[in-house]
Amino acid sequence: MRLNTATVRSEAGVLATNKVLRNTYLLLSMTLLFSAATAATAMVLDLPHPGLIITLVGYFGLLFLTNMFSNSALGLVFVFALTGFMGMTLGPMLNMYLHAFSNGHQLILTALGGTGVIFMGLSAYALTTRKDFSFIAGFLMVGVLVAFFAGIAALVFSIPALSLAVSAMFVLLMSAMILFQTSQIIHGGETNYILATVSLYVSIFNLFTSLLQLLGVFGGDD
């Protein structure tokens, strides 16, 4: 009887994990498409970038609301508000690359392709090996904070070398974040698909923009 009970609980846990994983990837796909649509709209309308302060306030404000309502239907509304807002801020950046570099289209497509390959490769690795990457949580927290404040310093004081170093740091950190978040879902550390989606979306967004900046420096043809 104990064996049967343990088996039932184990199967229930697997089913719950698979449900979170399925819902996460479904919502992630939808938010990425929505974000791409808002980015394209911003590009077509040639909207200016809202600036650092508005971007940070909008991002952290919507992120806070998403976390607050992550267990209700309102959480889905704020997820799309957050990803749509981030897409709107991405549009002006893409236009800048198209105008600043003669091979701007190639740079954007290369960054997009690289982001897709890295995400799918790391996700597949975490899913197939089922390794627990929870041990890198502390490293990620410290690394992201350091990279975030270094990035702000690079923008405020206009230090190109520091900005380049931050982009390289974010490529590594966001890659590790994808491994960590996927592992959390697999091992039951993350049971809320809305929060899992936001984490993966932000990782993909930062990975793409960081790769694009690196490609612009090393492969740009202005």
Side-chain angles (χ1 to χ4, degrees), residues 132-156:
D132 188 354
F133 289 95
S134 59
F135 65 92
I136 65 174
F139 163 77
L140 284 173
M141 181 179 295
V142 174
V144 169
L145 285 175
V146 171
F148 175 74
F149 286 111
I152 292 179
L155 286 174
V156 172

Side-chain angles (χ1 to χ4, degrees), residues 102-175:
S102 59
N103 62 339
H105 286 89
Q106 182 181 353
L107 294 177
I108 293 172
L109 291 176
T110 302
L112 185 62
T115 301
V117 169
I118 292 173
F119 174 72
M120 289 188 292
L122 292 175
S123 297
Y125 177 77
L127 290 169
T128 54
T129 63
R130 302 190 71 83
K131 288 185 177 180
D132 188 354
F133 289 95
S134 59
F135 65 92
I136 65 174
F139 163 77
L140 284 173
M141 181 179 295
V142 174
V144 169
L145 285 175
V146 171
F148 175 74
F149 286 111
I152 292 179
L155 286 174
V156 172
F157 299 106
S158 300
I159 309 176
L162 180 57
S163 180
L164 189 63
V166 169
S167 295
M169 288 176 63
F170 263 109
V171 169
L172 296 176
L173 288 169
M174 294 304 102
S175 297

Side-chain angles (χ1 to χ4, degrees), residues 33-58:
L33 289 173
F34 182 66
S35 186
T38 57
T41 300
M43 293 177 69
V44 171
L45 298 177
D46 198 19
L47 297 179
H49 194 277
L52 179 62
I53 295 178
I54 294 178
T55 299
L56 291 178
V57 171

Side-chain angles (χ1 to χ4, degrees), residues 19 28 38 56-57 65 70 72 86-87 124 126-127 135 147 170-171 175 183 195 199 204 211 215 222:
K19 182 179 179 180
L28 180 63
T38 57
L56 291 178
V57 171
L65 291 172
S70 60
S72 68
M86 294 181 72
L127 290 169
F135 65 92
F170 263 109
V171 169
S175 297
S183 172
L195 296 180
S199 177
I204 292 171
L211 283 175
L215 288 170
D222 51 7

